[in-house]
Amino acid sequence: MQYKNKDHANASAPLMEQLANSAKLSALILCLDQAQLLSEQLLNELNSRDKRINAIEQELLQAQQEIKQLKSTH
């Protein structure tokens, strides 16, 4: 009877290890999913800022052209 209990305990150890590894893997997948979402949000924010910067640059160029025109007419 002792051997059966011992064998049963040894058999359940790999199962417990598999369950623990499965839980770790699930947690890692959740972390990776969250990291992907955050990176997508960051990329969207950077793209948005890039568009705003481009718009500001265009406004500056337009202002420079207007200043040149004003200087040339006065």
Side-chain angles (χ1 to χ4, degrees):
M1 194 70 167
Q2 281 183 344
Y3 291 110
K4 285 185 181 179
N5 288 341
K6 199 174 195 182
D7 289 342
H8 181 69
N10 287 339
S12 65
L15 178 60
M16 294 302 288
E17 189 176 326
Q18 287 178 358
L19 289 172
N21 287 340
S22 181
K24 289 176 189 176
L25 185 58
S26 294
L28 181 58
I29 290 170
L30 287 175
C31 288
L32 290 172
D33 285 345
Q34 185 66 25
Q36 182 179 3
L37 287 174
L38 291 172
S39 66
E40 288 173 1
Q41 289 174 350
L42 180 57
L43 182 60
N44 288 337
E45 179 64 26
L46 290 173
N47 286 336
S48 177
R49 288 182 182 185
D50 193 39
K51 288 177 185 177
R52 289 193 304 248
I53 289 169
N54 287 338
I56 291 169
E57 287 174 341
Q58 290 299 317
E59 289 178 18
L60 286 172
L61 287 172
Q62 185 178 357
Q64 288 173 342
Q65 290 173 353
E66 290 174 9
I67 289 169
K68 284 181 184 176
Q69 287 175 353
L70 287 172
K71 283 182 179 179
S72 68
T73 58
H74 290 284

Short mmCIF file of all heavy atoms in Angstrom, two decimals:
data_model
loop_
_atom_site.label_atom_id
_atom_site.label_comp_id
_atom_site.label_asym_id
_atom_site.label_seq_id
_atom_site.Cartn_x
_atom_site.Cartn_y
_atom_site.Cartn_z
N MET A 1 0.82 -1.19 0.00
CA MET A 1 0.00 0.00 0.00
C MET A 1 0.86 1.25 0.00
O MET A 1 0.53 2.21 -0.65
CB MET A 1 -0.95 -0.05 1.21
CG MET A 1 -2.05 0.94 1.14
SD MET A 1 -3.18 0.43 -0.15
CE MET A 1 -4.52 1.47 0.19
N GLN A 2 1.95 1.19 0.73
CA GLN A 2 2.85 2.35 0.75
C GLN A 2 3.38 2.65 -0.64
O GLN A 2 3.49 3.79 -1.03
CB GLN A 2 4.02 2.12 1.70
CG GLN A 2 3.66 2.31 3.14
CD GLN A 2 4.90 2.14 4.02
OE1 GLN A 2 5.89 1.60 3.58
NE2 GLN A 2 4.80 2.59 5.25
N TYR A 3 3.71 1.63 -1.39
CA TYR A 3 4.27 1.83 -2.72
C TYR A 3 3.24 2.45 -3.65
O TYR A 3 3.57 3.30 -4.47
CB TYR A 3 4.78 0.51 -3.29
CG TYR A 3 6.00 0.01 -2.56
CD1 TYR A 3 5.93 -1.12 -1.75
CD2 TYR A 3 7.21 0.67 -2.67
CE1 TYR A 3 7.04 -1.58 -1.07
CE2 TYR A 3 8.33 0.22 -1.99
CZ TYR A 3 8.25 -0.91 -1.20
OH TYR A 3 9.35 -1.33 -0.53
N LYS A 4 2.00 2.03 -3.49
CA LYS A 4 0.96 2.61 -4.33
C LYS A 4 0.82 4.11 -4.05
O LYS A 4 0.70 4.91 -4.97
CB LYS A 4 -0.38 1.90 -4.11
CG LYS A 4 -0.45 0.55 -4.76
CD LYS A 4 -1.82 -0.05 -4.60
CE LYS A 4 -1.87 -1.42 -5.22
NZ LYS A 4 -3.17 -2.04 -5.08
N ASN A 5 0.80 4.48 -2.78
CA ASN A 5 0.70 5.90 -2.43
C ASN A 5 1.90 6.67 -2.94
O ASN A 5 1.79 7.79 -3.44
CB ASN A 5 0.57 6.08 -0.92
CG ASN A 5 -0.79 5.64 -0.42
OD1 ASN A 5 -1.73 5.55 -1.20
ND2 ASN A 5 -0.89 5.35 0.87
N LYS A 6 3.06 6.06 -2.83
CA LYS A 6 4.29 6.70 -3.29
C LYS A 6 4.24 6.88 -4.81
O LYS A 6 4.57 7.94 -5.35
CB LYS A 6 5.49 5.85 -2.88
CG LYS A 6 6.79 6.57 -2.90
CD LYS A 6 7.88 5.68 -2.34
CE LYS A 6 9.10 6.48 -1.99
NZ LYS A 6 10.18 5.64 -1.50
N ASP A 7 3.80 5.83 -5.51
CA ASP A 7 3.69 5.91 -6.97
C ASP A 7 2.66 6.95 -7.37
O ASP A 7 2.85 7.69 -8.33
CB ASP A 7 3.31 4.54 -7.55
CG ASP A 7 4.44 3.54 -7.48
OD1 ASP A 7 5.60 3.98 -7.30
OD2 ASP A 7 4.17 2.33 -7.59
N HIS A 8 1.58 6.99 -6.64
CA HIS A 8 0.54 7.97 -6.93
C HIS A 8 1.07 9.39 -6.73
O HIS A 8 0.81 10.28 -7.53
CB HIS A 8 -0.69 7.71 -6.05
CG HIS A 8 -1.82 8.66 -6.32
ND1 HIS A 8 -2.53 8.62 -7.49
CD2 HIS A 8 -2.34 9.67 -5.58
CE1 HIS A 8 -3.45 9.57 -7.46
NE2 HIS A 8 -3.36 10.23 -6.30
N ALA A 9 1.83 9.60 -5.67
CA ALA A 9 2.41 10.91 -5.40
C ALA A 9 3.39 11.30 -6.51
O ALA A 9 3.42 12.43 -6.96
CB ALA A 9 3.11 10.92 -4.04
N ASN A 10 4.19 10.34 -6.95
CA ASN A 10 5.14 10.60 -8.03
C ASN A 10 4.42 10.88 -9.35
O ASN A 10 4.87 11.70 -10.15
CB ASN A 10 6.10 9.42 -8.21
CG ASN A 10 7.12 9.34 -7.09
OD1 ASN A 10 7.36 10.33 -6.41
ND2 ASN A 10 7.68 8.16 -6.89
N ALA A 11 3.31 10.21 -9.58
CA ALA A 11 2.55 10.41 -10.81
C ALA A 11 1.88 11.78 -10.81
O ALA A 11 1.73 12.40 -11.86
CB ALA A 11 1.52 9.31 -10.98
N SER A 12 1.46 12.23 -9.64
CA SER A 12 0.77 13.52 -9.60
C SER A 12 1.74 14.70 -9.68
O SER A 12 1.36 15.80 -10.03
CB SER A 12 -0.09 13.63 -8.34
OG SER A 12 0.73 13.64 -7.19
N ALA A 13 3.01 14.48 -9.34
CA ALA A 13 3.99 15.57 -9.39
C ALA A 13 4.12 16.13 -10.80
O ALA A 13 4.05 17.34 -10.99
CB ALA A 13 5.32 15.11 -8.85
N PRO A 14 4.28 15.29 -11.84
CA PRO A 14 4.35 15.86 -13.19
C PRO A 14 3.06 16.58 -13.59
O PRO A 14 3.11 17.60 -14.26
CB PRO A 14 4.59 14.65 -14.08
CG PRO A 14 5.23 13.64 -13.19
CD PRO A 14 4.60 13.88 -11.84
N LEU A 15 1.93 16.07 -13.12
CA LEU A 15 0.66 16.73 -13.43
C LEU A 15 0.62 18.11 -12.79
O LEU A 15 0.23 19.09 -13.44
CB LEU A 15 -0.51 15.87 -12.94
CG LEU A 15 -1.90 16.48 -13.17
CD1 LEU A 15 -2.14 16.72 -14.65
CD2 LEU A 15 -2.96 15.57 -12.60
N MET A 16 1.04 18.20 -11.53
CA MET A 16 1.06 19.50 -10.85
C MET A 16 2.05 20.44 -11.55
O MET A 16 1.78 21.63 -11.70
CB MET A 16 1.43 19.32 -9.38
CG MET A 16 0.39 18.57 -8.57
SD MET A 16 -1.23 19.37 -8.62
CE MET A 16 -0.90 20.79 -7.60
N GLU A 17 3.16 19.88 -11.97
CA GLU A 17 4.16 20.68 -12.67
C GLU A 17 3.59 21.18 -14.01
O GLU A 17 3.79 22.33 -14.39
CB GLU A 17 5.42 19.85 -12.91
CG GLU A 17 6.58 20.65 -13.44
CD GLU A 17 7.84 19.81 -13.56
OE1 GLU A 17 8.05 18.91 -12.73
OE2 GLU A 17 8.61 20.07 -14.50
N GLN A 18 2.86 20.32 -14.70
CA GLN A 18 2.23 20.70 -15.96
C GLN A 18 1.20 21.80 -15.73
O GLN A 18 1.11 22.75 -16.51
CB GLN A 18 1.57 19.49 -16.62
CG GLN A 18 2.55 18.52 -17.23
CD GLN A 18 1.86 17.31 -17.84
OE1 GLN A 18 0.63 17.19 -17.76
NE2 GLN A 18 2.64 16.41 -18.41
N LEU A 19 0.43 21.65 -14.66
CA LEU A 19 -0.57 22.68 -14.35
C LEU A 19 0.10 24.01 -14.02
O LEU A 19 -0.35 25.07 -14.47
CB LEU A 19 -1.45 22.23 -13.18
CG LEU A 19 -2.45 21.10 -13.48
CD1 LEU A 19 -3.12 20.64 -12.20
CD2 LEU A 19 -3.47 21.55 -14.51
N ALA A 20 1.18 23.95 -13.26
CA ALA A 20 1.91 25.17 -12.91
C ALA A 20 2.50 25.81 -14.16
O ALA A 20 2.43 27.03 -14.35
CB ALA A 20 3.00 24.87 -11.90
N ASN A 21 3.08 24.98 -15.02
CA ASN A 21 3.65 25.50 -16.27
C ASN A 21 2.57 26.08 -17.17
O ASN A 21 2.77 27.11 -17.82
CB ASN A 21 4.43 24.41 -17.00
CG ASN A 21 5.74 24.08 -16.33
OD1 ASN A 21 6.26 24.87 -15.55
ND2 ASN A 21 6.27 22.91 -16.62
N SER A 22 1.43 25.44 -17.19
CA SER A 22 0.31 25.94 -17.98
C SER A 22 -0.17 27.29 -17.46
O SER A 22 -0.45 28.20 -18.24
CB SER A 22 -0.84 24.92 -17.96
OG SER A 22 -1.91 25.38 -18.73
N ALA A 23 -0.24 27.42 -16.14
CA ALA A 23 -0.65 28.69 -15.54
C ALA A 23 0.38 29.78 -15.83
O ALA A 23 0.03 30.92 -16.16
CB ALA A 23 -0.82 28.53 -14.03
N LYS A 24 1.66 29.42 -15.77
CA LYS A 24 2.72 30.39 -16.09
C LYS A 24 2.62 30.82 -17.55
O LYS A 24 2.78 32.00 -17.87
CB LYS A 24 4.10 29.79 -15.81
CG LYS A 24 4.42 29.61 -14.35
CD LYS A 24 5.77 28.93 -14.18
CE LYS A 24 6.03 28.54 -12.75
NZ LYS A 24 7.30 27.80 -12.60
N LEU A 25 2.38 29.85 -18.42
CA LEU A 25 2.26 30.15 -19.84
C LEU A 25 1.06 31.06 -20.11
O LEU A 25 1.15 32.02 -20.88
CB LEU A 25 2.14 28.85 -20.64
CG LEU A 25 2.12 28.97 -22.15
CD1 LEU A 25 3.39 29.67 -22.66
CD2 LEU A 25 1.99 27.60 -22.78
N SER A 26 -0.05 30.78 -19.45
CA SER A 26 -1.24 31.63 -19.61
C SER A 26 -0.96 33.05 -19.13
O SER A 26 -1.35 34.02 -19.80
CB SER A 26 -2.41 31.05 -18.83
OG SER A 26 -2.80 29.82 -19.39
N ALA A 27 -0.27 33.19 -18.02
CA ALA A 27 0.07 34.51 -17.50
C ALA A 27 1.00 35.23 -18.45
O ALA A 27 0.86 36.44 -18.71
CB ALA A 27 0.71 34.39 -16.11
N LEU A 28 1.96 34.51 -19.01
CA LEU A 28 2.89 35.10 -19.97
C LEU A 28 2.16 35.57 -21.22
O LEU A 28 2.43 36.66 -21.73
CB LEU A 28 3.98 34.09 -20.32
CG LEU A 28 5.05 34.55 -21.30
CD1 LEU A 28 5.77 35.78 -20.78
CD2 LEU A 28 6.04 33.43 -21.57
N ILE A 29 1.23 34.77 -21.69
CA ILE A 29 0.44 35.15 -22.87
C ILE A 29 -0.37 36.41 -22.59
O ILE A 29 -0.43 37.31 -23.43
CB ILE A 29 -0.47 33.98 -23.33
CG1 ILE A 29 0.40 32.87 -23.93
CG2 ILE A 29 -1.52 34.45 -24.33
CD1 ILE A 29 -0.34 31.58 -24.19
N LEU A 30 -0.97 36.49 -21.41
CA LEU A 30 -1.71 37.69 -21.04
C LEU A 30 -0.80 38.91 -21.01
O LEU A 30 -1.17 39.99 -21.49
CB LEU A 30 -2.40 37.50 -19.69
CG LEU A 30 -3.60 36.57 -19.67
CD1 LEU A 30 -4.10 36.38 -18.24
CD2 LEU A 30 -4.72 37.11 -20.55
N CYS A 31 0.40 38.74 -20.46
CA CYS A 31 1.37 39.85 -20.42
C CYS A 31 1.77 40.28 -21.82
O CYS A 31 1.87 41.48 -22.11
CB CYS A 31 2.61 39.45 -19.63
SG CYS A 31 2.33 39.32 -17.85
N LEU A 32 1.99 39.31 -22.68
CA LEU A 32 2.37 39.63 -24.06
C LEU A 32 1.23 40.33 -24.80
O LEU A 32 1.46 41.27 -25.57
CB LEU A 32 2.79 38.36 -24.81
CG LEU A 32 4.12 37.76 -24.36
CD1 LEU A 32 4.34 36.41 -25.04
CD2 LEU A 32 5.27 38.70 -24.66
N ASP A 33 0.01 39.88 -24.58
CA ASP A 33 -1.16 40.54 -25.19
C ASP A 33 -1.26 41.98 -24.71
O ASP A 33 -1.51 42.90 -25.51
CB ASP A 33 -2.45 39.79 -24.85
CG ASP A 33 -2.62 38.51 -25.64
OD1 ASP A 33 -1.91 38.32 -26.65
OD2 ASP A 33 -3.47 37.69 -25.23
N GLN A 34 -1.05 42.19 -23.42
CA GLN A 34 -1.11 43.54 -22.85
C GLN A 34 0.00 44.41 -23.43
O GLN A 34 -0.22 45.56 -23.78
CB GLN A 34 -1.03 43.50 -21.33
CG GLN A 34 -1.20 44.84 -20.66
CD GLN A 34 -2.60 45.41 -20.85
OE1 GLN A 34 -3.56 44.69 -21.06
NE2 GLN A 34 -2.71 46.71 -20.79
N ALA A 35 1.20 43.82 -23.55
CA ALA A 35 2.33 44.57 -24.12
C ALA A 35 2.05 44.93 -25.57
O ALA A 35 2.37 46.05 -26.01
CB ALA A 35 3.61 43.74 -24.03
N GLN A 36 1.42 44.04 -26.32
CA GLN A 36 1.08 44.33 -27.71
C GLN A 36 0.06 45.47 -27.78
O GLN A 36 0.19 46.38 -28.60
CB GLN A 36 0.53 43.09 -28.40
CG GLN A 36 0.21 43.34 -29.87
CD GLN A 36 -0.31 42.10 -30.57
OE1 GLN A 36 -0.49 41.05 -29.97
NE2 GLN A 36 -0.55 42.21 -31.86
N LEU A 37 -0.95 45.43 -26.93
CA LEU A 37 -1.94 46.50 -26.91
C LEU A 37 -1.29 47.85 -26.57
O LEU A 37 -1.58 48.86 -27.22
CB LEU A 37 -3.05 46.19 -25.90
CG LEU A 37 -4.04 45.10 -26.29
CD1 LEU A 37 -4.98 44.80 -25.12
CD2 LEU A 37 -4.82 45.48 -27.52
N LEU A 38 -0.41 47.85 -25.58
CA LEU A 38 0.27 49.08 -25.20
C LEU A 38 1.16 49.59 -26.31
O LEU A 38 1.22 50.80 -26.57
CB LEU A 38 1.08 48.87 -23.92
CG LEU A 38 0.26 48.66 -22.65
CD1 LEU A 38 1.17 48.27 -21.49
CD2 LEU A 38 -0.55 49.90 -22.30
N SER A 39 1.83 48.69 -27.01
CA SER A 39 2.70 49.13 -28.10
C SER A 39 1.87 49.69 -29.26
O SER A 39 2.27 50.66 -29.91
CB SER A 39 3.61 47.99 -28.58
OG SER A 39 2.87 46.96 -29.18
N GLU A 40 0.71 49.10 -29.51
CA GLU A 40 -0.18 49.63 -30.55
C GLU A 40 -0.69 51.02 -30.16
O GLU A 40 -0.76 51.92 -31.01
CB GLU A 40 -1.35 48.68 -30.80
CG GLU A 40 -0.94 47.42 -31.52
CD GLU A 40 -2.05 46.39 -31.61
OE1 GLU A 40 -3.17 46.65 -31.12
OE2 GLU A 40 -1.79 45.30 -32.16
N GLN A 41 -1.04 51.20 -28.89
CA GLN A 41 -1.48 52.51 -28.42
C GLN A 41 -0.37 53.54 -28.56
O GLN A 41 -0.59 54.67 -28.98
CB GLN A 41 -1.94 52.44 -26.97
CG GLN A 41 -3.24 51.69 -26.78
CD GLN A 41 -3.60 51.50 -25.32
OE1 GLN A 41 -2.80 51.75 -24.42
NE2 GLN A 41 -4.82 51.05 -25.06
N LEU A 42 0.84 53.13 -28.20
CA LEU A 42 1.99 54.02 -28.32
C LEU A 42 2.25 54.39 -29.77
O LEU A 42 2.50 55.56 -30.09
CB LEU A 42 3.24 53.38 -27.70
CG LEU A 42 4.52 54.19 -27.74
CD1 LEU A 42 4.35 55.54 -27.05
CD2 LEU A 42 5.66 53.41 -27.11
N LEU A 43 2.18 53.41 -30.65
CA LEU A 43 2.37 53.68 -32.07
C LEU A 43 1.31 54.64 -32.60
O LEU A 43 1.63 55.58 -33.35
CB LEU A 43 2.34 52.36 -32.86
CG LEU A 43 2.58 52.47 -34.36
CD1 LEU A 43 3.97 53.07 -34.64
CD2 LEU A 43 2.46 51.11 -35.01
N ASN A 44 0.07 54.45 -32.18
CA ASN A 44 -1.00 55.37 -32.60
C ASN A 44 -0.73 56.78 -32.09
O ASN A 44 -0.93 57.76 -32.81
CB ASN A 44 -2.36 54.87 -32.10
CG ASN A 44 -2.84 53.66 -32.86
OD1 ASN A 44 -2.42 53.41 -33.98
ND2 ASN A 44 -3.72 52.89 -32.24
N GLU A 45 -0.28 56.89 -30.85
CA GLU A 45 0.03 58.19 -30.27
C GLU A 45 1.18 58.85 -31.02
O GLU A 45 1.14 60.05 -31.32
CB GLU A 45 0.37 58.04 -28.79
CG GLU A 45 0.73 59.34 -28.10
CD GLU A 45 -0.41 60.35 -28.04
OE1 GLU A 45 -1.58 59.95 -28.07
OE2 GLU A 45 -0.10 61.55 -27.95
N LEU A 46 2.20 58.08 -31.34
CA LEU A 46 3.34 58.63 -32.08
C LEU A 46 2.93 59.08 -33.48
O LEU A 46 3.36 60.13 -33.96
CB LEU A 46 4.47 57.60 -32.17
CG LEU A 46 5.20 57.31 -30.86
CD1 LEU A 46 6.17 56.15 -31.04
CD2 LEU A 46 5.92 58.54 -30.35
N ASN A 47 2.08 58.30 -34.13
CA ASN A 47 1.58 58.69 -35.45
C ASN A 47 0.76 59.97 -35.37
O ASN A 47 0.87 60.84 -36.23
CB ASN A 47 0.74 57.56 -36.07
CG ASN A 47 1.59 56.42 -36.56
OD1 ASN A 47 2.77 56.59 -36.87
ND2 ASN A 47 1.01 55.23 -36.64
N SER A 48 -0.05 60.08 -34.33
CA SER A 48 -0.85 61.28 -34.13
C SER A 48 0.04 62.49 -33.91
O SER A 48 -0.17 63.57 -34.49
CB SER A 48 -1.79 61.08 -32.94
OG SER A 48 -2.52 62.25 -32.68
N ARG A 49 1.07 62.33 -33.08
CA ARG A 49 2.01 63.44 -32.83
C ARG A 49 2.75 63.81 -34.10
O ARG A 49 2.98 64.99 -34.37
CB ARG A 49 3.00 63.07 -31.74
CG ARG A 49 2.40 63.03 -30.36
CD ARG A 49 3.42 62.70 -29.31
NE ARG A 49 2.80 62.62 -27.99
CZ ARG A 49 3.48 62.45 -26.89
NH1 ARG A 49 4.80 62.33 -26.92
NH2 ARG A 49 2.86 62.39 -25.73
N ASP A 50 3.12 62.80 -34.87
CA ASP A 50 3.83 63.05 -36.13
C ASP A 50 2.95 63.88 -37.08
O ASP A 50 3.44 64.82 -37.73
CB ASP A 50 4.21 61.72 -36.78
CG ASP A 50 5.21 61.87 -37.90
OD1 ASP A 50 6.12 62.71 -37.78
OD2 ASP A 50 5.08 61.15 -38.90
N LYS A 51 1.68 63.56 -37.13
CA LYS A 51 0.75 64.33 -37.98
C LYS A 51 0.64 65.76 -37.49
O LYS A 51 0.60 66.71 -38.28
CB LYS A 51 -0.63 63.66 -38.01
CG LYS A 51 -0.66 62.38 -38.82
CD LYS A 51 -2.03 61.73 -38.76
CE LYS A 51 -2.02 60.39 -39.48
NZ LYS A 51 -3.30 59.70 -39.39
N ARG A 52 0.57 65.95 -36.15
CA ARG A 52 0.50 67.30 -35.60
C ARG A 52 1.77 68.09 -35.90
O ARG A 52 1.72 69.27 -36.24
CB ARG A 52 0.23 67.26 -34.09
CG ARG A 52 -1.18 66.81 -33.74
CD ARG A 52 -1.52 67.06 -32.28
NE ARG A 52 -0.59 66.44 -31.37
CZ ARG A 52 -0.87 65.43 -30.56
NH1 ARG A 52 -2.07 64.91 -30.55
NH2 ARG A 52 0.03 64.93 -29.76
N ILE A 53 2.91 67.42 -35.77
CA ILE A 53 4.19 68.08 -36.06
C ILE A 53 4.25 68.49 -37.53
O ILE A 53 4.67 69.60 -37.86
CB ILE A 53 5.38 67.16 -35.69
CG1 ILE A 53 5.49 67.05 -34.17
CG2 ILE A 53 6.69 67.66 -36.29
CD1 ILE A 53 6.45 65.98 -33.69
N ASN A 54 3.81 67.61 -38.42
CA ASN A 54 3.80 67.93 -39.84
C ASN A 54 2.89 69.13 -40.12
O ASN A 54 3.24 70.00 -40.93
CB ASN A 54 3.37 66.72 -40.68
CG ASN A 54 4.45 65.66 -40.76
OD1 ASN A 54 5.63 65.94 -40.56
ND2 ASN A 54 4.05 64.44 -41.04
N ALA A 55 1.75 69.16 -39.47
CA ALA A 55 0.83 70.28 -39.67
C ALA A 55 1.46 71.59 -39.17
O ALA A 55 1.35 72.63 -39.83
CB ALA A 55 -0.49 70.02 -38.94
N ILE A 56 2.14 71.54 -38.04
CA ILE A 56 2.81 72.73 -37.50
C ILE A 56 3.92 73.18 -38.43
O ILE A 56 4.09 74.38 -38.69
CB ILE A 56 3.35 72.46 -36.08
CG1 ILE A 56 2.18 72.31 -35.10
CG2 ILE A 56 4.29 73.56 -35.63
CD1 ILE A 56 2.58 71.78 -33.74
N GLU A 57 4.67 72.21 -38.97
CA GLU A 57 5.73 72.56 -39.92
C GLU A 57 5.16 73.25 -41.16
O GLU A 57 5.75 74.21 -41.67
CB GLU A 57 6.53 71.31 -40.32
CG GLU A 57 7.44 70.79 -39.23
CD GLU A 57 8.12 69.48 -39.59
OE1 GLU A 57 7.64 68.77 -40.51
OE2 GLU A 57 9.12 69.16 -38.95
N GLN A 58 4.04 72.76 -41.62
CA GLN A 58 3.39 73.38 -42.79
C GLN A 58 2.96 74.81 -42.46
O GLN A 58 3.12 75.72 -43.28
CB GLN A 58 2.19 72.55 -43.26
CG GLN A 58 2.57 71.22 -43.88
CD GLN A 58 3.41 71.40 -45.13
OE1 GLN A 58 3.14 72.25 -45.97
NE2 GLN A 58 4.46 70.61 -45.24
N GLU A 59 2.41 75.00 -41.27
CA GLU A 59 2.01 76.34 -40.85
C GLU A 59 3.22 77.27 -40.77
O GLU A 59 3.15 78.44 -41.17
CB GLU A 59 1.30 76.29 -39.50
CG GLU A 59 -0.08 75.67 -39.56
CD GLU A 59 -0.72 75.58 -38.18
OE1 GLU A 59 -0.28 76.28 -37.25
OE2 GLU A 59 -1.69 74.80 -38.05
N LEU A 60 4.33 76.76 -40.26
CA LEU A 60 5.55 77.57 -40.17
C LEU A 60 6.07 77.94 -41.56
O LEU A 60 6.47 79.08 -41.79
CB LEU A 60 6.64 76.81 -39.39
CG LEU A 60 6.44 76.73 -37.89
CD1 LEU A 60 7.47 75.79 -37.27
CD2 LEU A 60 6.55 78.11 -37.25
N LEU A 61 6.05 76.98 -42.46
CA LEU A 61 6.49 77.27 -43.84
C LEU A 61 5.59 78.34 -44.48
O LEU A 61 6.08 79.25 -45.15
CB LEU A 61 6.49 76.00 -44.69
CG LEU A 61 7.60 74.99 -44.40
CD1 LEU A 61 7.36 73.71 -45.19
CD2 LEU A 61 8.96 75.59 -44.75
N GLN A 62 4.32 78.20 -44.25
CA GLN A 62 3.37 79.17 -44.80
C GLN A 62 3.62 80.55 -44.19
O GLN A 62 3.63 81.56 -44.89
CB GLN A 62 1.94 78.72 -44.55
CG GLN A 62 0.90 79.62 -45.19
CD GLN A 62 -0.52 79.11 -44.96
OE1 GLN A 62 -0.72 78.05 -44.37
NE2 GLN A 62 -1.48 79.87 -45.43
N ALA A 63 3.86 80.59 -42.89
CA ALA A 63 4.14 81.86 -42.22
C ALA A 63 5.44 82.47 -42.75
O ALA A 63 5.52 83.69 -42.97
CB ALA A 63 4.22 81.66 -40.71
N GLN A 64 6.45 81.66 -42.97
CA GLN A 64 7.72 82.15 -43.52
C GLN A 64 7.51 82.74 -44.91
O GLN A 64 8.07 83.80 -45.24
CB GLN A 64 8.77 81.03 -43.57
CG GLN A 64 9.31 80.64 -42.22
CD GLN A 64 10.21 79.42 -42.29
OE1 GLN A 64 10.20 78.67 -43.25
NE2 GLN A 64 11.00 79.21 -41.23
N GLN A 65 6.71 82.08 -45.71
CA GLN A 65 6.42 82.58 -47.06
C GLN A 65 5.67 83.91 -47.00
O GLN A 65 5.95 84.84 -47.76
CB GLN A 65 5.63 81.55 -47.87
CG GLN A 65 6.45 80.33 -48.25
CD GLN A 65 5.62 79.25 -48.91
OE1 GLN A 65 4.39 79.34 -48.97
NE2 GLN A 65 6.29 78.20 -49.38
N GLU A 66 4.73 84.01 -46.09
CA GLU A 66 3.98 85.25 -45.93
C GLU A 66 4.90 86.38 -45.46
O GLU A 66 4.78 87.52 -45.94
CB GLU A 66 2.82 85.06 -44.94
CG GLU A 66 1.72 84.18 -45.48
CD GLU A 66 0.64 83.88 -44.44
OE1 GLU A 66 0.65 84.48 -43.35
OE2 GLU A 66 -0.23 83.03 -44.72
N ILE A 67 5.83 86.07 -44.57
CA ILE A 67 6.78 87.08 -44.08
C ILE A 67 7.66 87.54 -45.24
O ILE A 67 7.89 88.76 -45.41
CB ILE A 67 7.64 86.52 -42.92
CG1 ILE A 67 6.75 86.37 -41.67
CG2 ILE A 67 8.82 87.41 -42.63
CD1 ILE A 67 7.41 85.59 -40.54
N LYS A 68 8.14 86.62 -46.05
CA LYS A 68 8.95 86.98 -47.22
C LYS A 68 8.17 87.88 -48.17
O LYS A 68 8.69 88.86 -48.69
CB LYS A 68 9.43 85.72 -47.95
CG LYS A 68 10.56 85.01 -47.26
CD LYS A 68 10.98 83.79 -48.06
CE LYS A 68 12.06 83.01 -47.32
NZ LYS A 68 12.43 81.78 -48.02
N GLN A 69 6.91 87.55 -48.39
CA GLN A 69 6.07 88.37 -49.29
C GLN A 69 5.87 89.76 -48.72
O GLN A 69 5.93 90.75 -49.44
CB GLN A 69 4.73 87.69 -49.54
CG GLN A 69 4.82 86.47 -50.44
CD GLN A 69 3.48 85.75 -50.57
OE1 GLN A 69 2.51 86.08 -49.88
NE2 GLN A 69 3.43 84.76 -51.45
N LEU A 70 5.63 89.83 -47.42
CA LEU A 70 5.44 91.13 -46.77
C LEU A 70 6.72 91.97 -46.86
O LEU A 70 6.66 93.19 -47.11
CB LEU A 70 5.02 90.97 -45.31
CG LEU A 70 3.58 90.48 -45.07
CD1 LEU A 70 3.36 90.17 -43.61
CD2 LEU A 70 2.58 91.51 -45.56
N LYS A 71 7.86 91.34 -46.65
CA LYS A 71 9.14 92.07 -46.72
C LYS A 71 9.39 92.57 -48.14
O LYS A 71 9.92 93.65 -48.33
CB LYS A 71 10.29 91.16 -46.28
CG LYS A 71 10.39 90.98 -44.79
CD LYS A 71 11.60 90.11 -44.43
CE LYS A 71 11.73 89.95 -42.93
NZ LYS A 71 12.88 89.10 -42.57
N SER A 72 9.03 91.77 -49.12
CA SER A 72 9.29 92.15 -50.51
C SER A 72 8.36 93.27 -50.99
O SER A 72 8.70 94.04 -51.87
CB SER A 72 9.20 90.95 -51.43
OG SER A 72 7.86 90.50 -51.50
N THR A 73 7.19 93.37 -50.40
CA THR A 73 6.24 94.41 -50.82
C THR A 73 6.42 95.71 -50.05
O THR A 73 5.90 96.73 -50.43
CB THR A 73 4.79 93.93 -50.66
OG1 THR A 73 4.55 93.58 -49.31
CG2 THR A 73 4.51 92.77 -51.57
N HIS A 74 7.18 95.67 -48.94
CA HIS A 74 7.37 96.89 -48.14
C HIS A 74 8.74 97.42 -48.24
O HIS A 74 9.74 97.00 -48.46
CB HIS A 74 7.00 96.64 -46.66
CG HIS A 74 5.54 96.45 -46.47
ND1 HIS A 74 4.64 97.48 -46.49
CD2 HIS A 74 4.79 95.33 -46.28
CE1 HIS A 74 3.43 97.03 -46.30
NE2 HIS A 74 3.48 95.70 -46.17
#
